Amino acid sequence: MPHRCPTTESAPARWLLIGLALLLLSLFLLLPLLAVFVEAFRRGAEVFFAALHTDAALSAVRLTLLAAAISVPLNTVFGLAAAWAVTKHRFRGRALLISLIDLPFAVSPVIAGLVWVLLFGAKGWCGPWLAAHDLKIIFDVPGIILATVFVTFPFVARELIPLMEAQGNDQELAAVTLGASGWQMFRRVTLPNIKWGLLYGVLLCNARAMGEFGAVSVVSGHIRGKTNTLPLHVEVLYNEYQFSAAFACATLLALLALVTLGLKSAVEQISHQGATRRT
Amino acid sequence: MHNHRVIPGFGLSLGFTITYLSLIILIPLAALFLNAGGLGPAEWWRILSTPRVLAAAKLTFGASAAAAAVSVGVGLLVTWVLVRYRFPGRRLLDAMVDLPFALPTAVAGITLTSLYAPNGWLGGYLAKWGIQGAYSPFGVFIALTFIGFPFVVRTVQPVMEDLGSELEEAAATLGAGRWTVFRRVILPALVPALVTGFTLAFARAIGEYGSVIFISGNLPMKTEILPLLIVSQLEQYKYRDAAVIAAGMLLVSFTLLFLINLLQRQLDWHKR
């Protein structure tokens, strides 16, 4: 009668590895998260709430919500259309199209801002025309939205493409055979199958849209109360040595991250349960 | 020939996809390359061979490679523990691994800085050993490791979950110890995923900006990374220099992604 299974480690080795992983992750993940809240409340709750209740902070929150409210729906519609085109149909150049959709992941956020400056900045290609028509994109809200759309571009498509690829076309073909219209098929057959993957993609897209820093920093011009998003507002406060205020605003973004992670785990669990029930 | 596609919506969805992709991604990137490409090789060389650009490139690629390598080690340990063992708090740990993906980079940046600054919780300990945490190349490395290791975990995890136990059992039957089994049976099966994880972490690290600029201190020639150099060129209205540095960085990143694709295609082919 063997005392331990030969295809696993001895108990001490197991606990050593678990302990090491826990220690590393606590130092590397939990401690930074804890530090955000400790630093934010270092000078008391009064300073904390005062920092959140300034006009600059409120306008930064509004701009962050606006950028997400525009870029997330746009990229969700794009993600659905792109996934529909590349997974339900076969055509030449399909593999290339899938690679191109992933392209923004390989682009530095700074470059995602730079491209818009080169197009629409004062010395950019369309700069003189924009100036002549009294239009402003760079150092203004439209530039921030364009930069956010660029960096959040692939998130929904990236979740949907592998999922829809794995599900195949059988159910859609059955629906068409039974006389369903395109819209009916999408709403009654495809959407229920992909809803969790879609939600997952939207969550990640939204987290990135609200938290983006590099790309919007290049196009924003850091005009307080006008073109600062919440992450940029955090940077401005930090560079002015208003550390408690910077961390107070950072707690909002840390909470956003925690809510995203919580919802993400919940979605994973629900969709996993659904999958096992079906089989 | 009119329409032999059964599932509707092909023209509409593909048309929208290509139009939107062109407007948001392809045309702006083409504008960048046209801007930079119009300058000619001599001008490229003049811009890219300045000591400041070379120093920034060395730091960016060096720290990114070191961070990706350490991410592979940390990621392998964490994945192993998450996949193979059952212990209280495992699911929470699994969810926490995604924190660097979800936490806005500026928040990661200021937090890591406060932790690793000489008067911070961890920086104080490092200082006793004579190591400077924040405001040094080591600080850049810390931030890039924070950003990079989830890529390794999330790439290796599904592969490790799918590893069957047959080979391990066979090896154990033949008298191999656990370490031998790990080295000779498990590790070779994980190498492709580890390489992909390394490349993803490396590619992300090269372009990373928000989490690095606070902790690095941004001294030209010492702790300045390439993305920051692009920003400082832009602030001086040197659009061309910024465009050339950006185009150079993108060429490196695209080559990396292309290599991952080749690798993955080869692996899929092997599986078949």
Side-chain angles (χ1 to χ4, degrees):
Chain A
M1 167 100 191
H3 283 285
R4 72 183 183 86
C5 172
T7 52
T8 189
E9 289 70 49
S10 61
R14 226 162 37 220
W15 286 107
L16 182 73
L17 289 174
I18 293 175
L20 200 58
L22 282 175
L23 179 74
L24 271 174
L25 291 186
S26 320
L27 278 179
F28 221 54
L29 297 177
L30 281 180
L31 202 59
L33 198 57
L34 194 67
V36 177
F37 291 92
V38 171
E39 293 287 340
F41 284 99
R42 176 157 290 195
R43 289 171 55 208
E46 218 165 293
V47 175
F48 176 85
F49 288 108
L52 296 182
H53 207 79
T54 61
D55 288 342
L58 291 175
S59 98
V61 169
R62 268 197 299 273
L63 182 56
T64 297
L65 292 176
L66 175 71
I70 294 175
S71 55
V72 174
L74 269 180
N75 287 330
T76 303
V77 171
F78 162 74
L80 283 166
W84 187 264
V86 302
T87 63
K88 302 291 170 192
H89 306 93
R90 290 291 177 271
F91 52 91
R92 282 177 79 180
R94 183 176 161 271
L96 176 70
L97 184 58
I98 295 177
S99 309
L100 286 177
I101 291 170
D102 271 345
L103 206 58
F105 279 137
V107 176
S108 170
V110 166
I111 299 176
L114 170 70
V115 292
W116 299 113
V117 176
L118 293 177
L119 276 176
F120 299 127
K123 277 170 62 183
W125 284 2
C126 309
W129 185 87
L130 288 170
H133 291 77
D134 212 19
L135 293 169
K136 215 169 165 218
I137 292 181
I138 301 304
F139 303 149
D140 209 338
V141 176
I144 293 193
I145 290 166
L146 283 175
T148 309
V149 171
F150 187 112
V151 290
T152 56
F153 179 87
F155 280 84
V156 176
R158 199 56 267 163
E159 289 304 320
L160 290 182
I161 290 173
L163 179 67
M164 286 166 68
E165 188 83 37
Q167 286 173 347
N169 289 351
D170 300 351
Q171 297 192 16
E172 278 82 6
L173 286 174
V176 172
T177 315
L178 294 171
S181 72
W183 174 243
Q184 276 178 323
M185 175 185 63
F186 176 75
R187 212 168 46 92
R188 309 277 289 268
V189 177
T190 311
L191 206 54
N193 279 337
I194 61 167
K195 61 179 181 223
W196 296 118
L198 179 65
L199 186 59
Y200 196 96
V202 169
L203 273 173
L204 296 182
C205 185
N206 180 62
R208 181 67 193 265
M210 291 189 174
E212 178 50 30
F213 176 73
V216 292
S217 145
V218 170
V219 296
S220 127
H222 293 86
I223 305 163
R224 184 177 286 215
K226 194 164 170 236
T227 63
N228 271 347
T229 62
L230 196 52
L232 294 177
H233 184 58
V234 169
E235 182 203 15
V236 169
L237 291 172
Y238 188 86
N239 288 341
E240 287 172 350
Y241 301 102
Q242 302 190 43
F243 295 129
S244 295
F247 278 101
C249 294
T251 56
L252 295 181
L253 293 167
L255 285 175
L256 166 74
L258 287 177
V259 169
T260 304
L261 288 184
L263 287 175
K264 192 170 155 284
S265 308
V267 167
E268 269 168 355
Q269 205 172 356
I270 294 168
S271 62
H272 187 72
Q273 279 168 359
T276 44
R277 206 177 301 135
R278 241 176 276 134
T279 45
Chain B
M1 178 50 223
H2 176 61
N3 194 355
H4 53 262
R5 295 184 185 278
V6 182
I7 296 181
F10 175 64
L12 181 68
S13 63
L14 187 67
F16 178 73
T17 300
I18 290 178
T19 311
Y20 187 72
L21 175 73
S22 305
L23 286 176
I24 301 294
I25 307 294
L26 298 183
I27 293 175
L29 282 180
L32 169 70
F33 280 105
L34 284 175
N35 238 299
L39 295 178
E43 191 72 350
W44 268 61
W45 179 248
R46 186 189 65 74
I47 293 168
L48 293 181
S49 67
T50 58
R52 192 171 165 194
V53 174
L54 289 178
K58 208 173 122 192
L59 174 65
T60 305
F61 290 111
S64 298
V70 170
S71 296
V72 166
V74 176
L76 182 59
L77 170 70
V78 170
T79 316
W80 181 270
V81 168
L82 285 178
V83 172
R84 294 274 166 139
Y85 305 144
R86 293 293 172 269
F87 55 94
R90 188 185 67 92
R91 292 192 36 140
L92 185 69
L93 203 64
D94 195 1
M96 284 293 295
V97 168
D98 282 331
L99 182 72
F101 287 151
L103 193 68
T105 53
V107 179
I110 63 171
T111 310
L112 291 174
T113 311
S114 77
L115 281 176
Y116 288 94
N119 59 354
W121 294 347
L122 297 171
Y125 284 103
L126 289 178
K128 278 184 199 150
W129 295 86
I131 302 169
Q132 193 182 352
Y135 318 123
S136 71
F138 184 63
V140 176
F141 161 81
I142 292 170
L144 294 179
T145 311
F146 177 80
I147 292 298
F149 91 93
F151 285 95
V152 179
V153 176
R154 293 305 179 225
T155 326
V156 178
Q157 200 170 23
V159 180
M160 204 187 275
E161 277 166 356
D162 285 347
L163 279 185
S165 55
E166 298 89 349
L167 281 177
E168 284 178 53
E169 282 160 12
T173 314
L174 294 171
R178 265 325 267 172
W179 177 241
T180 313
V181 172
F182 175 74
R183 221 162 33 91
R184 307 282 291 270
V185 178
I186 301 173
L187 201 55
L190 297 179
V191 163
L194 289 169
V195 171
T196 306
F198 174 90
T199 320
L200 289 174
F202 185 55
R204 167 73 197 262
I206 293 171
E208 182 55 27
Y209 179 71
S211 60
V212 176
I213 56 156
F214 297 98
I215 202 169
S216 70
N218 304 329
L219 287 173
M221 304 298 297
K222 286 211 177 79
T223 58
E224 185 178 56
I225 53 165
L226 280 174
L228 182 77
L229 190 56
I230 293 177
V231 171
S232 70
Q233 300 295 332
L234 266 183
E235 278 168 357
Q236 298 167 47
Y237 298 101
K238 292 182 178 167
Y239 282 25
R240 297 185 148 190
D241 296 45
V244 168
I245 299 168
M249 279 179 68
L250 282 183
L251 288 178
V252 173
S253 304
F254 290 170
T255 312
L256 273 173
L257 259 189
F258 177 71
L259 289 178
I260 304 185
N261 269 334
L262 270 189
L263 185 80
Q264 271 166 345
R265 220 168 279 177
Q266 201 143 21
L267 294 172
D268 286 348
W269 185 79
H270 274 299
K271 257 187 224 157
R272 258 182 251 140

